PDB file of all heavy atoms in Angstrom:
ATOM      1  N   SER O 132      46.541 -38.361 -29.192  1.00  0.00           N
ATOM      2  CA  SER O 132      47.594 -39.385 -28.998  1.00  0.00           C
ATOM      3  C   SER O 132      46.925 -40.756 -28.895  1.00  0.00           C
ATOM      4  O   SER O 132      46.808 -41.308 -27.798  1.00  0.00           O
ATOM      5  CB  SER O 132      48.386 -39.019 -27.758  1.00  0.00           C
ATOM      6  OG  SER O 132      48.713 -40.063 -27.004  1.00  0.00           O
ATOM      7  N   PRO O 133      46.468 -41.320 -29.998  1.00  0.00           N
ATOM      8  CA  PRO O 133      45.721 -42.568 -29.983  1.00  0.00           C
ATOM      9  C   PRO O 133      46.587 -43.756 -29.538  1.00  0.00           C
ATOM     10  O   PRO O 133      46.031 -44.782 -29.176  1.00  0.00           O
ATOM     11  CB  PRO O 133      45.281 -42.763 -31.407  1.00  0.00           C
ATOM     12  CG  PRO O 133      46.098 -41.849 -32.249  1.00  0.00           C
ATOM     13  CD  PRO O 133      46.595 -40.782 -31.361  1.00  0.00           C
ATOM     14  N   HIS O 134      47.905 -43.668 -29.485  1.00  0.00           N
ATOM     15  CA  HIS O 134      48.725 -44.815 -29.147  1.00  0.00           C
ATOM     16  C   HIS O 134      48.964 -44.883 -27.625  1.00  0.00           C
ATOM     17  O   HIS O 134      49.552 -45.821 -27.128  1.00  0.00           O
ATOM     18  CB  HIS O 134      50.054 -44.764 -29.858  1.00  0.00           C
ATOM     19  CG  HIS O 134      49.863 -44.782 -31.354  1.00  0.00           C
ATOM     20  ND1 HIS O 134      49.392 -45.884 -32.013  1.00  0.00           N
ATOM     21  CD2 HIS O 134      50.064 -43.836 -32.303  1.00  0.00           C
ATOM     22  CE1 HIS O 134      49.304 -45.643 -33.323  1.00  0.00           C
ATOM     23  NE2 HIS O 134      49.712 -44.372 -33.480  1.00  0.00           N
ATOM     24  N   ASN O 135      48.515 -43.878 -26.922  1.00  0.00           N
ATOM     25  CA  ASN O 135      48.713 -43.831 -25.463  1.00  0.00           C
ATOM     26  C   ASN O 135      47.516 -44.383 -24.698  1.00  0.00           C
ATOM     27  O   ASN O 135      46.854 -43.656 -23.994  1.00  0.00           O
ATOM     28  CB  ASN O 135      49.027 -42.367 -25.078  1.00  0.00           C
ATOM     29  CG  ASN O 135      49.506 -42.230 -23.666  1.00  0.00           C
ATOM     30  OD1 ASN O 135      49.665 -43.249 -22.962  1.00  0.00           O
ATOM     31  ND2 ASN O 135      49.681 -41.001 -23.209  1.00  0.00           N
ATOM     32  N   PHE O 136      47.267 -45.637 -24.870  1.00  0.00           N
ATOM     33  CA  PHE O 136      46.078 -46.251 -24.209  1.00  0.00           C
ATOM     34  C   PHE O 136      46.180 -46.301 -22.706  1.00  0.00           C
ATOM     35  O   PHE O 136      45.193 -46.098 -22.033  1.00  0.00           O
ATOM     36  CB  PHE O 136      45.861 -47.696 -24.755  1.00  0.00           C
ATOM     37  CG  PHE O 136      45.351 -47.711 -26.139  1.00  0.00           C
ATOM     38  CD1 PHE O 136      46.184 -48.208 -27.179  1.00  0.00           C
ATOM     39  CD2 PHE O 136      44.101 -47.222 -26.478  1.00  0.00           C
ATOM     40  CE1 PHE O 136      45.727 -48.274 -28.482  1.00  0.00           C
ATOM     41  CE2 PHE O 136      43.678 -47.282 -27.787  1.00  0.00           C
ATOM     42  CZ  PHE O 136      44.461 -47.776 -28.780  1.00  0.00           C
ATOM     43  N   SER O 137      47.331 -46.521 -22.196  1.00  0.00           N
ATOM     44  CA  SER O 137      47.454 -46.558 -20.729  1.00  0.00           C
ATOM     45  C   SER O 137      47.183 -45.177 -20.117  1.00  0.00           C
ATOM     46  O   SER O 137      46.567 -45.055 -19.084  1.00  0.00           O
ATOM     47  CB  SER O 137      48.852 -47.035 -20.334  1.00  0.00           C
ATOM     48  OG  SER O 137      49.830 -46.126 -20.755  1.00  0.00           O
ATOM     49  N   GLY O 138      47.619 -44.133 -20.782  1.00  0.00           N
ATOM     50  CA  GLY O 138      47.327 -42.785 -20.333  1.00  0.00           C
ATOM     51  C   GLY O 138      45.855 -42.514 -20.415  1.00  0.00           C
ATOM     52  O   GLY O 138      45.266 -41.857 -19.513  1.00  0.00           O
ATOM     53  N   LEU O 139      45.226 -42.983 -21.481  1.00  0.00           N
ATOM     54  CA  LEU O 139      43.802 -42.787 -21.629  1.00  0.00           C
ATOM     55  C   LEU O 139      43.017 -43.515 -20.515  1.00  0.00           C
ATOM     56  O   LEU O 139      42.066 -42.950 -19.954  1.00  0.00           O
ATOM     57  CB  LEU O 139      43.340 -43.328 -23.013  1.00  0.00           C
ATOM     58  CG  LEU O 139      41.842 -43.232 -23.289  1.00  0.00           C
ATOM     59  CD1 LEU O 139      41.427 -41.744 -23.299  1.00  0.00           C
ATOM     60  CD2 LEU O 139      41.522 -43.907 -24.627  1.00  0.00           C
ATOM     61  N   LYS O 140      43.488 -44.684 -20.167  1.00  0.00           N
ATOM     62  CA  LYS O 140      42.855 -45.446 -19.066  1.00  0.00           C
ATOM     63  C   LYS O 140      42.944 -44.659 -17.785  1.00  0.00           C
ATOM     64  O   LYS O 140      41.946 -44.532 -17.042  1.00  0.00           O
ATOM     65  CB  LYS O 140      43.554 -46.788 -18.912  1.00  0.00           C
ATOM     66  CG  LYS O 140      42.966 -47.632 -17.794  1.00  0.00           C
ATOM     67  CD  LYS O 140      43.701 -48.927 -17.637  1.00  0.00           C
ATOM     68  CE  LYS O 140      43.140 -49.673 -16.451  1.00  0.00           C
ATOM     69  NZ  LYS O 140      44.115 -50.530 -15.831  1.00  0.00           N
ATOM     70  N   ASP O 141      44.100 -44.079 -17.498  1.00  0.00           N
ATOM     71  CA  ASP O 141      44.263 -43.263 -16.259  1.00  0.00           C
ATOM     72  C   ASP O 141      43.336 -42.049 -16.289  1.00  0.00           C
ATOM     73  O   ASP O 141      42.712 -41.730 -15.264  1.00  0.00           O
ATOM     74  CB  ASP O 141      45.691 -42.810 -16.120  1.00  0.00           C
ATOM     75  CG  ASP O 141      46.664 -43.979 -15.867  1.00  0.00           C
ATOM     76  OD1 ASP O 141      46.154 -45.038 -15.416  1.00  0.00           O
ATOM     77  OD2 ASP O 141      47.869 -43.794 -16.096  1.00  0.00           O
ATOM     78  N   VAL O 142      43.204 -41.397 -17.440  1.00  0.00           N
ATOM     79  CA  VAL O 142      42.337 -40.240 -17.545  1.00  0.00           C
ATOM     80  C   VAL O 142      40.897 -40.628 -17.299  1.00  0.00           C
ATOM     81  O   VAL O 142      40.159 -39.976 -16.558  1.00  0.00           O
ATOM     82  CB  VAL O 142      42.519 -39.583 -18.938  1.00  0.00           C
ATOM     83  CG1 VAL O 142      41.422 -38.540 -19.203  1.00  0.00           C
ATOM     84  CG2 VAL O 142      43.877 -38.934 -19.077  1.00  0.00           C
ATOM     85  N   ILE O 143      40.463 -41.714 -17.953  1.00  0.00           N
ATOM     86  CA  ILE O 143      39.097 -42.176 -17.750  1.00  0.00           C
ATOM     87  C   ILE O 143      38.817 -42.582 -16.328  1.00  0.00           C
ATOM     88  O   ILE O 143      37.782 -42.201 -15.749  1.00  0.00           O
ATOM     89  CB  ILE O 143      38.791 -43.380 -18.714  1.00  0.00           C
ATOM     90  CG1 ILE O 143      38.780 -42.866 -20.157  1.00  0.00           C
ATOM     91  CG2 ILE O 143      37.476 -44.043 -18.361  1.00  0.00           C
ATOM     92  CD1 ILE O 143      38.661 -43.969 -21.210  1.00  0.00           C
ATOM     93  N   GLU O 144      39.762 -43.244 -15.677  1.00  0.00           N
ATOM     94  CA  GLU O 144      39.545 -43.641 -14.294  1.00  0.00           C
ATOM     95  C   GLU O 144      39.483 -42.453 -13.392  1.00  0.00           C
ATOM     96  O   GLU O 144      38.616 -42.384 -12.482  1.00  0.00           O
ATOM     97  CB  GLU O 144      40.693 -44.565 -13.850  1.00  0.00           C
ATOM     98  CG  GLU O 144      40.567 -45.968 -14.397  1.00  0.00           C
ATOM     99  CD  GLU O 144      41.726 -46.853 -13.991  1.00  0.00           C
ATOM    100  OE1 GLU O 144      42.708 -46.375 -13.405  1.00  0.00           O
ATOM    101  OE2 GLU O 144      41.629 -48.058 -14.304  1.00  0.00           O
ATOM    102  N   SER O 145      40.296 -41.455 -13.645  1.00  0.00           N
ATOM    103  CA  SER O 145      40.246 -40.236 -12.778  1.00  0.00           C
ATOM    104  C   SER O 145      38.950 -39.464 -12.989  1.00  0.00           C
ATOM    105  O   SER O 145      38.318 -38.957 -12.042  1.00  0.00           O
ATOM    106  CB  SER O 145      41.415 -39.333 -13.011  1.00  0.00           C
ATOM    107  OG  SER O 145      41.362 -38.735 -14.282  1.00  0.00           O
ATOM    108  N   ARG O 146      38.468 -39.455 -14.220  1.00  0.00           N
ATOM    109  CA  ARG O 146      37.209 -38.767 -14.506  1.00  0.00           C
ATOM    110  C   ARG O 146      36.027 -39.529 -13.920  1.00  0.00           C
ATOM    111  O   ARG O 146      35.061 -38.946 -13.450  1.00  0.00           O
ATOM    112  CB  ARG O 146      37.057 -38.506 -15.983  1.00  0.00           C
ATOM    113  CG  ARG O 146      38.043 -37.465 -16.441  1.00  0.00           C
ATOM    114  CD  ARG O 146      37.871 -36.970 -17.808  1.00  0.00           C
ATOM    115  NE  ARG O 146      38.878 -35.952 -18.063  1.00  0.00           N
ATOM    116  CZ  ARG O 146      39.329 -35.662 -19.248  1.00  0.00           C
ATOM    117  NH1 ARG O 146      38.866 -36.302 -20.304  1.00  0.00           N
ATOM    118  NH2 ARG O 146      40.239 -34.726 -19.405  1.00  0.00           N
ATOM    119  N   LEU O 147      36.102 -40.819 -14.004  1.00  0.00           N
ATOM    120  CA  LEU O 147      35.004 -41.659 -13.425  1.00  0.00           C
ATOM    121  C   LEU O 147      35.002 -41.431 -11.870  1.00  0.00           C
ATOM    122  O   LEU O 147      33.888 -41.378 -11.280  1.00  0.00           O
ATOM    123  CB  LEU O 147      35.192 -43.122 -13.752  1.00  0.00           C
ATOM    124  CG  LEU O 147      34.851 -43.521 -15.171  1.00  0.00           C
ATOM    125  CD1 LEU O 147      35.160 -45.009 -15.388  1.00  0.00           C
ATOM    126  CD2 LEU O 147      33.361 -43.246 -15.476  1.00  0.00           C
ATOM    127  N   ALA O 148      36.139 -41.331 -11.237  1.00  0.00           N
ATOM    128  CA  ALA O 148      36.181 -41.051  -9.830  1.00  0.00           C
ATOM    129  C   ALA O 148      35.546 -39.702  -9.516  1.00  0.00           C
ATOM    130  O   ALA O 148      34.771 -39.577  -8.511  1.00  0.00           O
ATOM    131  CB  ALA O 148      37.626 -41.092  -9.319  1.00  0.00           C
ATOM    132  N   ALA O 149      35.832 -38.708 -10.355  1.00  0.00           N
ATOM    133  CA  ALA O 149      35.216 -37.390 -10.129  1.00  0.00           C
ATOM    134  C   ALA O 149      33.741 -37.452 -10.314  1.00  0.00           C
ATOM    135  O   ALA O 149      32.953 -36.873  -9.561  1.00  0.00           O
ATOM    136  CB  ALA O 149      35.833 -36.371 -11.089  1.00  0.00           C
ATOM    137  N   ILE O 150      33.262 -38.228 -11.284  1.00  0.00           N
ATOM    138  CA  ILE O 150      31.832 -38.352 -11.507  1.00  0.00           C
ATOM    139  C   ILE O 150      31.161 -39.090 -10.334  1.00  0.00           C
ATOM    140  O   ILE O 150      30.104 -38.707  -9.872  1.00  0.00           O
ATOM    141  CB  ILE O 150      31.568 -39.146 -12.853  1.00  0.00           C
ATOM    142  CG1 ILE O 150      31.967 -38.320 -14.030  1.00  0.00           C
ATOM    143  CG2 ILE O 150      30.134 -39.572 -12.967  1.00  0.00           C
ATOM    144  CD1 ILE O 150      32.035 -39.045 -15.361  1.00  0.00           C
ATOM    145  N   GLU O 151      31.827 -40.130  -9.820  1.00  0.00           N
ATOM    146  CA  GLU O 151      31.290 -40.838  -8.661  1.00  0.00           C
ATOM    147  C   GLU O 151      31.155 -39.887  -7.467  1.00  0.00           C
ATOM    148  O   GLU O 151      30.172 -39.952  -6.727  1.00  0.00           O
ATOM    149  CB  GLU O 151      32.182 -42.025  -8.293  1.00  0.00           C
ATOM    150  CG  GLU O 151      32.056 -43.173  -9.275  1.00  0.00           C
ATOM    151  CD  GLU O 151      33.029 -44.302  -8.951  1.00  0.00           C
ATOM    152  OE1 GLU O 151      33.885 -44.148  -8.044  1.00  0.00           O
ATOM    153  OE2 GLU O 151      32.983 -45.303  -9.683  1.00  0.00           O
ATOM    154  N   ASP O 152      32.169 -39.035  -7.294  1.00  0.00           N
ATOM    155  CA  ASP O 152      32.090 -38.073  -6.198  1.00  0.00           C
ATOM    156  C   ASP O 152      30.913 -37.115  -6.397  1.00  0.00           C
ATOM    157  O   ASP O 152      30.164 -36.799  -5.433  1.00  0.00           O
ATOM    158  CB  ASP O 152      33.387 -37.280  -6.066  1.00  0.00           C
ATOM    159  CG  ASP O 152      34.539 -38.144  -5.584  1.00  0.00           C
ATOM    160  OD1 ASP O 152      34.316 -39.175  -5.048  1.00  0.00           O
ATOM    161  OD2 ASP O 152      35.696 -37.684  -5.775  1.00  0.00           O
ATOM    162  N   ASP O 153      30.762 -36.639  -7.654  1.00  0.00           N
ATOM    163  CA  ASP O 153      29.667 -35.714  -7.910  1.00  0.00           C
ATOM    164  C   ASP O 153      28.300 -36.406  -7.702  1.00  0.00           C
ATOM    165  O   ASP O 153      27.373 -35.824  -7.128  1.00  0.00           O
ATOM    166  CB  ASP O 153      29.681 -35.231  -9.412  1.00  0.00           C
ATOM    167  CG  ASP O 153      30.820 -34.230  -9.626  1.00  0.00           C
ATOM    168  OD1 ASP O 153      31.369 -33.726  -8.630  1.00  0.00           O
ATOM    169  OD2 ASP O 153      31.081 -34.002 -10.800  1.00  0.00           O
ATOM    170  N   ILE O 154      28.163 -37.646  -8.138  1.00  0.00           N
ATOM    171  CA  ILE O 154      26.889 -38.363  -7.961  1.00  0.00           C
ATOM    172  C   ILE O 154      26.652 -38.592  -6.455  1.00  0.00           C
ATOM    173  O   ILE O 154      25.527 -38.485  -5.999  1.00  0.00           O
ATOM    174  CB  ILE O 154      26.918 -39.663  -8.743  1.00  0.00           C
ATOM    175  CG1 ILE O 154      26.834 -39.361 -10.237  1.00  0.00           C
ATOM    176  CG2 ILE O 154      25.782 -40.587  -8.336  1.00  0.00           C
ATOM    177  CD1 ILE O 154      26.977 -40.536 -11.141  1.00  0.00           C
ATOM    178  N   GLY O 155      27.710 -38.939  -5.725  1.00  0.00           N
ATOM    179  CA  GLY O 155      27.539 -39.123  -4.294  1.00  0.00           C
ATOM    180  C   GLY O 155      27.090 -37.845  -3.594  1.00  0.00           C
ATOM    181  O   GLY O 155      26.167 -37.873  -2.763  1.00  0.00           O
ATOM    182  N   GLY O 156      27.677 -36.740  -3.966  1.00  0.00           N
ATOM    183  CA  GLY O 156      27.254 -35.448  -3.382  1.00  0.00           C
ATOM    184  C   GLY O 156      25.852 -35.081  -3.782  1.00  0.00           C
ATOM    185  O   GLY O 156      25.050 -34.601  -2.958  1.00  0.00           O
ATOM    186  N   LEU O 157      25.507 -35.336  -5.062  1.00  0.00           N
ATOM    187  CA  LEU O 157      24.126 -35.078  -5.496  1.00  0.00           C
ATOM    188  C   LEU O 157      23.146 -35.937  -4.790  1.00  0.00           C
ATOM    189  O   LEU O 157      22.073 -35.506  -4.398  1.00  0.00           O
ATOM    190  CB  LEU O 157      24.082 -35.254  -7.029  1.00  0.00           C
ATOM    191  CG  LEU O 157      22.776 -34.876  -7.700  1.00  0.00           C
ATOM    192  CD1 LEU O 157      22.411 -33.423  -7.457  1.00  0.00           C
ATOM    193  CD2 LEU O 157      22.874 -35.137  -9.187  1.00  0.00           C
ATOM    194  N   GLY O 158      23.496 -37.206  -4.602  1.00  0.00           N
ATOM    195  CA  GLY O 158      22.618 -38.122  -3.872  1.00  0.00           C
ATOM    196  C   GLY O 158      22.389 -37.648  -2.439  1.00  0.00           C
ATOM    197  O   GLY O 158      21.241 -37.736  -1.936  1.00  0.00           O
ATOM    198  N   GLU O 159      23.405 -37.201  -1.790  1.00  0.00           N
ATOM    199  CA  GLU O 159      23.298 -36.715  -0.432  1.00  0.00           C
ATOM    200  C   GLU O 159      22.397 -35.449  -0.419  1.00  0.00           C
ATOM    201  O   GLU O 159      21.500 -35.380   0.447  1.00  0.00           O
ATOM    202  CB  GLU O 159      24.661 -36.403   0.146  1.00  0.00           C
ATOM    203  CG  GLU O 159      24.636 -35.876   1.583  1.00  0.00           C
ATOM    204  CD  GLU O 159      24.109 -36.918   2.548  1.00  0.00           C
ATOM    205  OE1 GLU O 159      24.124 -38.128   2.269  1.00  0.00           O
ATOM    206  OE2 GLU O 159      23.654 -36.494   3.636  1.00  0.00           O
ATOM    207  N   ARG O 160      22.614 -34.509  -1.344  1.00  0.00           N
ATOM    208  CA  ARG O 160      21.733 -33.337  -1.367  1.00  0.00           C
ATOM    209  C   ARG O 160      20.295 -33.742  -1.675  1.00  0.00           C
ATOM    210  O   ARG O 160      19.390 -33.196  -1.097  1.00  0.00           O
ATOM    211  CB  ARG O 160      22.250 -32.360  -2.448  1.00  0.00           C
ATOM    212  CG  ARG O 160      23.498 -31.615  -1.986  1.00  0.00           C
ATOM    213  CD  ARG O 160      23.730 -30.370  -2.845  1.00  0.00           C
ATOM    214  NE  ARG O 160      23.636 -30.600  -4.255  1.00  0.00           N
ATOM    215  CZ  ARG O 160      24.688 -30.812  -5.078  1.00  0.00           C
ATOM    216  NH1 ARG O 160      25.873 -30.828  -4.610  1.00  0.00           N
ATOM    217  NH2 ARG O 160      24.470 -30.982  -6.378  1.00  0.00           N
ATOM    218  N   LEU O 161      20.131 -34.697  -2.555  1.00  0.00           N
ATOM    219  CA  LEU O 161      18.760 -35.183  -2.888  1.00  0.00           C
ATOM    220  C   LEU O 161      18.091 -35.773  -1.646  1.00  0.00           C
ATOM    221  O   LEU O 161      16.939 -35.497  -1.353  1.00  0.00           O
ATOM    222  CB  LEU O 161      18.842 -36.215  -4.008  1.00  0.00           C
ATOM    223  CG  LEU O 161      17.546 -36.879  -4.423  1.00  0.00           C
ATOM    224  CD1 LEU O 161      16.550 -35.849  -4.936  1.00  0.00           C
ATOM    225  CD2 LEU O 161      17.799 -37.927  -5.481  1.00  0.00           C
ATOM    226  N   ARG O 162      18.871 -36.571  -0.876  1.00  0.00           N
ATOM    227  CA  ARG O 162      18.281 -37.170   0.327  1.00  0.00           C
ATOM    228  C   ARG O 162      17.900 -36.079   1.331  1.00  0.00           C
ATOM    229  O   ARG O 162      16.822 -36.140   1.894  1.00  0.00           O
ATOM    230  CB  ARG O 162      19.329 -38.091   0.960  1.00  0.00           C
ATOM    231  CG  ARG O 162      18.794 -38.895   2.129  1.00  0.00           C
ATOM    232  CD  ARG O 162      19.884 -39.717   2.807  1.00  0.00           C
ATOM    233  NE  ARG O 162      20.917 -38.854   3.427  1.00  0.00           N
ATOM    234  CZ  ARG O 162      20.785 -38.267   4.555  1.00  0.00           C
ATOM    235  NH1 ARG O 162      19.662 -38.318   5.255  1.00  0.00           N
ATOM    236  NH2 ARG O 162      21.804 -37.555   5.085  1.00  0.00           N
ATOM    237  N   LEU O 163      18.760 -35.095   1.494  1.00  0.00           N
ATOM    238  CA  LEU O 163      18.444 -34.004   2.446  1.00  0.00           C
ATOM    239  C   LEU O 163      17.280 -33.170   1.942  1.00  0.00           C
ATOM    240  O   LEU O 163      16.354 -32.866   2.739  1.00  0.00           O
ATOM    241  CB  LEU O 163      19.673 -33.076   2.602  1.00  0.00           C
ATOM    242  CG  LEU O 163      20.845 -33.720   3.387  1.00  0.00           C
ATOM    243  CD1 LEU O 163      22.052 -32.765   3.338  1.00  0.00           C
ATOM    244  CD2 LEU O 163      20.471 -34.085   4.786  1.00  0.00           C
ATOM    245  N   GLN O 164      17.262 -32.810   0.653  1.00  0.00           N
ATOM    246  CA  GLN O 164      16.133 -32.032   0.144  1.00  0.00           C
ATOM    247  C   GLN O 164      14.856 -32.805   0.197  1.00  0.00           C
ATOM    248  O   GLN O 164      13.797 -32.260   0.485  1.00  0.00           O
ATOM    249  CB  GLN O 164      16.426 -31.554  -1.266  1.00  0.00           C
ATOM    250  CG  GLN O 164      17.472 -30.508  -1.364  1.00  0.00           C
ATOM    251  CD  GLN O 164      17.788 -30.069  -2.816  1.00  0.00           C
ATOM    252  OE1 GLN O 164      17.303 -30.708  -3.762  1.00  0.00           O
ATOM    253  NE2 GLN O 164      18.608 -29.068  -2.972  1.00  0.00           N
ATOM    254  N   GLY O 165      14.917 -34.091  -0.113  1.00  0.00           N
ATOM    255  CA  GLY O 165      13.727 -34.939  -0.053  1.00  0.00           C
ATOM    256  C   GLY O 165      13.198 -35.019   1.353  1.00  0.00           C
ATOM    257  O   GLY O 165      11.977 -34.952   1.569  1.00  0.00           O
ATOM    258  N   GLY O 166      14.091 -35.162   2.351  1.00  0.00           N
ATOM    259  CA  GLY O 166      13.661 -35.199   3.754  1.00  0.00           C
ATOM    260  C   GLY O 166      13.032 -33.884   4.176  1.00  0.00           C
ATOM    261  O   GLY O 166      12.002 -33.890   4.855  1.00  0.00           O
ATOM    262  N   GLU O 167      13.617 -32.780   3.732  1.00  0.00           N
ATOM    263  CA  GLU O 167      13.063 -31.481   4.069  1.00  0.00           C
ATOM    264  C   GLU O 167      11.696 -31.284   3.434  1.00  0.00           C
ATOM    265  O   GLU O 167      10.774 -30.802   4.063  1.00  0.00           O
ATOM    266  CB  GLU O 167      14.031 -30.352   3.658  1.00  0.00           C
ATOM    267  CG  GLU O 167      15.303 -30.295   4.464  1.00  0.00           C
ATOM    268  CD  GLU O 167      16.330 -29.347   3.843  1.00  0.00           C
ATOM    269  OE1 GLU O 167      16.038 -28.745   2.798  1.00  0.00           O
ATOM    270  OE2 GLU O 167      17.409 -29.276   4.439  1.00  0.00           O
ATOM    271  N   ALA O 168      11.601 -31.671   2.161  1.00  0.00           N
ATOM    272  CA  ALA O 168      10.306 -31.532   1.459  1.00  0.00           C
ATOM    273  C   ALA O 168       9.258 -32.377   2.112  1.00  0.00           C
ATOM    274  O   ALA O 168       8.127 -31.977   2.283  1.00  0.00           O
ATOM    275  CB  ALA O 168      10.476 -31.879  -0.003  1.00  0.00           C
ATOM    276  N   ALA O 169       9.650 -33.627   2.462  1.00  0.00           N
ATOM    277  CA  ALA O 169       8.656 -34.527   3.107  1.00  0.00           C
ATOM    278  C   ALA O 169       8.240 -33.947   4.448  1.00  0.00           C
ATOM    279  O   ALA O 169       7.055 -34.040   4.822  1.00  0.00           O
ATOM    280  CB  ALA O 169       9.279 -35.902   3.328  1.00  0.00           C
ATOM    281  N   GLY O 170       9.161 -33.342   5.165  1.00  0.00           N
ATOM    282  CA  GLY O 170       8.817 -32.711   6.448  1.00  0.00           C
ATOM    283  C   GLY O 170       7.854 -31.548   6.268  1.00  0.00           C
ATOM    284  O   GLY O 170       6.880 -31.379   7.050  1.00  0.00           O
TER     285      GLY O 170
END
């Protein structure tokens, strides 16, 4: 549906939000694993 740009914008924004959540969770796990490894 190439004419539905507003819907595409909503889809992209929701997916970007999910990616941000994933990156945040991964960053937190990385920080914890890094701290444990350093210990």
